[in-house]
Amino acid sequence: MTRDEAAADGDAAADDEFDAVVYDLDGTLVRLAVDWDAAARDAVSLFERHGHDVADADLWGLLERADSAGIRGELESLLGEHEVDGAERADRLSHADELPRGVPTGVCSLNCEAACRVALDRHGLADSVDVVVGRDSVGTYKPDPEPLLATLRDLGVPPERAVFVGDSERDELTANRAGVSFRYV
């Protein structure tokens, strides 16, 4: 079966075609039960307490502005609390049934690493995943390629021998920037 046939059949990646499979987490293996509206309200309140008017920004825009506002650590902590809470109540998705794979397997997520680990533990997937890289694991986050490349370095597999499986354009852009094959779920 070719890579494209595997993708068309719903198999995210044929094990004999790739030396590693890296999954996005939320929307791919599990669905985190995060109240993103509450997280955004809390983030806006944090910025406002520090004297920043951010009424026009969305949550990911706030994340991008956190460094210049000098509150990255506080914002990461606040978002992490929401994400971990959502991970504790996460629903398992059908692609989680692909685990364990016959090749090194990683998770590269825009969520914080702790939430990824909680969700994987909750659904008995942690032993099937060799490496977990979250938004806070490296200095950048998706769609920057560094989180995916860091995942592959830790797996010991070059980008051209791996596939990234995700559910969003951001995931696809990350894979393209990293030189990694991509499959939508």
Side-chain angles (χ1 to χ4, degrees):
M1 178 181 291
T2 68
R3 291 181 197 187
D4 291 335
E5 289 168 337
D9 282 351
D11 182 9
D15 289 340
D16 59 347
E17 295 291 329
F18 298 103
D19 294 339
V21 179
V22 178
Y23 291 90
D24 170 53
L25 182 78
D26 191 18
T28 304
L29 296 176
V30 302
R31 180 154 332 278
L32 299 182
V34 177
D35 183 343
W36 291 112
D37 291 335
R41 284 190 303 274
D42 289 351
V44 166
S45 293
L46 174 66
F47 273 84
E48 289 174 347
R49 283 194 307 274
H50 286 274
H52 301 279
D53 179 16
V54 293
D56 62 328
D58 66 6
L59 185 58
W60 301 116
L62 294 174
L63 188 61
E64 291 171 3
R65 294 166 71 171
D67 284 331
S68 63
I71 58 172
R72 165 71 84 196
E74 288 178 81
L75 183 60
E76 284 290 353
S77 178
L78 182 146
L79 293 178
E81 289 175 17
H82 282 277
E83 291 169 336
V84 167
D85 179 60
E88 291 170 348
R89 298 176 290 114
D91 292 324
R92 180 183 172 121
L93 299 176
S94 62
H95 278 85
D97 296 339
E98 295 176 3
L99 299 175
R101 306 275 331 176
V103 296
T105 302
V107 165
C108 177
S109 178
L110 188 56
N111 298 106
C112 71
E113 184 176 335
C116 295
R117 292 187 183 283
V118 167
L120 293 170
D121 284 341
R122 172 175 159 65
H123 292 288
L125 302 171
D127 290 342
S128 299
V129 175
D130 303 300
V131 174
V132 176
V133 173
R135 176 187 66 245
D136 54 345
S137 302
V138 296
T140 62
Y141 53 90
K142 300 184 308 183
D144 188 280
E146 182 53 29
L148 180 54
L149 293 171
T151 306
L152 292 171
R153 276 193 302 273
D154 288 352
L155 290 173
V157 175
E160 65 274 7
R161 294 297 312 147
V163 62
F164 185 39
V165 180
D167 68 318
S168 71
E169 290 179 20
R170 180 185 293 260
D171 293 331
E172 183 177 27
L173 181 57
T174 302
N176 289 339
R177 289 177 173 176
V180 174
S181 293
F182 180 76
R183 298 292 177 265
Y184 272 102
V185 294

